Amino acid sequence: MSHDAIAEARRQVEICNACRYCEGYCSVFPAIARQRAFADGDITQLANLCHNCRGCFYACQYTAPHEFDLNLPAALADVRSESWEKYAWPGPFARIFQSSGAAVAAALTIGLGLLFWAAEALPSTGGDGFYAVLSHTVMVSIFTPAFLLPLVVLAVAVRRYWRDIGGGPVESGHLIEAAKDAVHLKNLSGGQGQGCNFEDEDRYSNTRRWLHHATFGGFMLCFASTSVATIMHYGFGLEAPYGLFSLPKLFGIPGGIALTVGCAGLALLKMRADPTLGSKSRWGGEMGFVLLLGFTALSGLILYAATGTSFVSTLLAIHLGAVLAFFLLLPYSKMVHGAFRFAALVRDAQVKPDSP
Ligand code: SF4
Ligand code: SF4
């Protein structure tokens, strides 16, 4: 991780520790107040607790032109996004994605989509629905390793992160407390529930919080849809395609809609927000991830709507290309922030004075 980013964040955190005006804004400031000195791992932990709500920047009396030149949201954003690269393996993959995310995601989606399109030319194995175009065996043999390997790489990154921030043995109470914060997105509420200033200084809004809820909830519903379909296929011999009122569709369709709306909204907010209060050099990577996730969901919905038409084979190739690109890029994209943020909340629960 760049020494400059850590050193700059440390300088600003030490000023905040003397000032403490923003103590009620989020969990970053109580965590700062518990310490006098900040090792590199401490700064990384604070960076991953921060949600970039920007409230502290607009409240601060030490921003430019004051000589302290404070911009805590940007300083922590730089460290945070560098931590996603530092702990990833191989690191250069993450660096490339963080700097040119949209281009990488588009190129990979198109390339993989073309491969799937070419694979569809192979003789049909006689399945129904999508499996008439590409057999179930081919899909499983491609997507099982493509799903599991990135999860292993992500687990290794979280382990490295946990070691660097000095994480201790995890108890169930820590996990429960962290899960409560994560599920409610408490720190995106601006401290008093009025929302954050992500879009504008004078505008308190919970829009970003609700869009995060839609994105996370939609993702979990899509995951539940795939899991249920797998159990139905292997456990009960009930093979796809499934009807509109089957469990995979009842989870998958609302999940896909929520994910599409959430990602589109987050991308719009990001375009409106001031880039100087985030990590400017990683803007492309963050946007690339949001667009890829949203496109994956949208292409799945369009594919379902086109069932029975002549567009299915082309749409299936596009959707599978997006899904595979998403999985392969998962450990190098902003998806890592969910795992690191949760680890940061667990660590915070461990060191709070009222910790279980
Ligand atoms: S961001 Fe500014 S106002 Fe807030 S605690 Fe830090 S120095 Fe004080
Ligand atoms: S940007 Fe928001 S979440 Fe980050 S330190 Fe400031 S108030 Fe806390």
Side-chain angles (χ1 to χ4, degrees), residues 6-352:
I6 290 269
E8 175 57 15
R10 183 183 288 116
R11 178 188 78 82
Q12 299 200 26
V13 160
E14 285 172 351
I15 293 171
C16 290
N17 207 11
C19 166
R20 299 196 178 179
Y21 177 79
C22 299
E23 219 155 38
Y25 279 40
C26 67
S27 51
V28 171
F29 292 96
I32 291 175
R34 284 195 291 270
Q35 290 177 254
R36 294 288 172 274
F38 300 90
D40 288 5
D42 299 327
I43 297 294
T44 305
Q45 160 71 354
L46 292 171
N48 280 285
L49 272 181
C50 170
H51 277 276
N52 199 240
C53 80
R54 306 170 172 206
C56 60
F57 177 84
Y58 293 121
C60 186
Q61 58 271 44
Y62 301 124
T63 55
H66 191 283
E67 60 182 319
F68 287 173
D69 192 15
L70 246 75
N71 184 347
L72 192 63
L76 294 181
D78 281 338
V79 174
R80 184 168 57 251
S81 42
E82 284 196 19
S83 73
W84 306 336
E85 296 168 18
K86 177 187 174 186
Y87 302 115
W89 183 85
F93 280 17
R95 269 190 287 285
I96 293 169
F97 186 76
Q98 290 306 327
S99 58
S100 320
V104 172
L108 201 56
T109 301
I110 292 168
L112 293 169
L114 286 172
L115 282 179
F116 280 114
W117 186 66
E120 288 169 5
L122 298 173
S124 166
T125 52
D128 290 328
F130 305 145
Y131 299 138
V133 182
L134 208 60
S135 81
H136 184 265
T137 312
V138 170
M139 289 217 206
V140 169
S141 37
I142 292 172
F143 281 96
T144 303
F147 178 63
L148 294 179
L149 282 176
L151 286 187
V152 171
V153 175
L154 181 59
V156 171
V158 172
R159 191 166 173 274
R160 289 173 168 176
Y161 170 80
W162 189 250
R163 196 181 50 214
D164 267 17
I165 63 167
V170 178
E171 296 170 13
S172 58
H174 305 145
L175 290 173
I176 291 169
E177 193 160 338
K180 271 196 234 157
D181 279 4
V183 167
H184 293 120
L185 291 174
K186 190 182 108 194
N187 290 313
L188 269 177
S189 69
Q192 282 81 43
Q194 76 278 40
C196 72
N197 309 89
F198 185 78
E199 300 152 72
D200 201 357
E201 174 175 1
D202 299 324
R203 182 157 177 243
Y204 286 92
S205 162
N206 273 305
T207 307
R208 187 164 171 247
R209 188 179 179 203
W210 292 117
L211 289 171
H212 269 93
H213 277 307
T215 304
F216 179 72
F219 184 84
M220 293 314 289
L221 283 172
C222 291
F223 183 72
S225 165
T226 309
S227 305
V228 167
T230 305
I231 294 169
M232 286 168 68
H233 183 96
Y234 290 107
F236 300 96
L238 297 168
E239 296 185 4
Y242 301 111
L244 181 60
F245 296 104
S246 63
L247 278 179
K249 290 290 184 286
L250 290 175
F251 284 134
I253 294 173
I257 293 171
L259 196 48
T260 305
V261 170
C263 289
L266 287 173
L268 281 175
L269 286 190
K270 198 160 188 58
M271 278 164 31
R272 274 197 224 137
D274 182 351
T276 63
L277 303 189
S279 182
K280 271 194 289 182
S281 57
R282 272 51 168 219
W283 194 93
E286 296 190 10
M287 186 58 103
F289 165 74
V290 175
L291 293 179
L292 176 59
L293 185 56
F295 180 72
T296 304
L298 180 64
S299 60
L301 290 172
I302 294 173
L303 174 62
Y304 179 61
T307 303
T309 71
S310 57
F311 299 112
V312 165
S313 60
T314 306
L315 290 170
L316 181 64
I318 293 170
H319 178 60
L320 293 181
V323 174
L324 191 53
F326 172 75
F327 281 133
L328 294 177
L329 292 171
L330 187 147
Y332 313 110
S333 69
K334 200 183 173 184
M335 193 72 183
V336 177
H337 101 290
F340 280 25
R341 173 100 63 215
F342 188 72
L345 289 170
V346 173
R347 180 62 185 148
D348 197 47
Q350 287 184 333
V351 295
K352 274 181 189 165

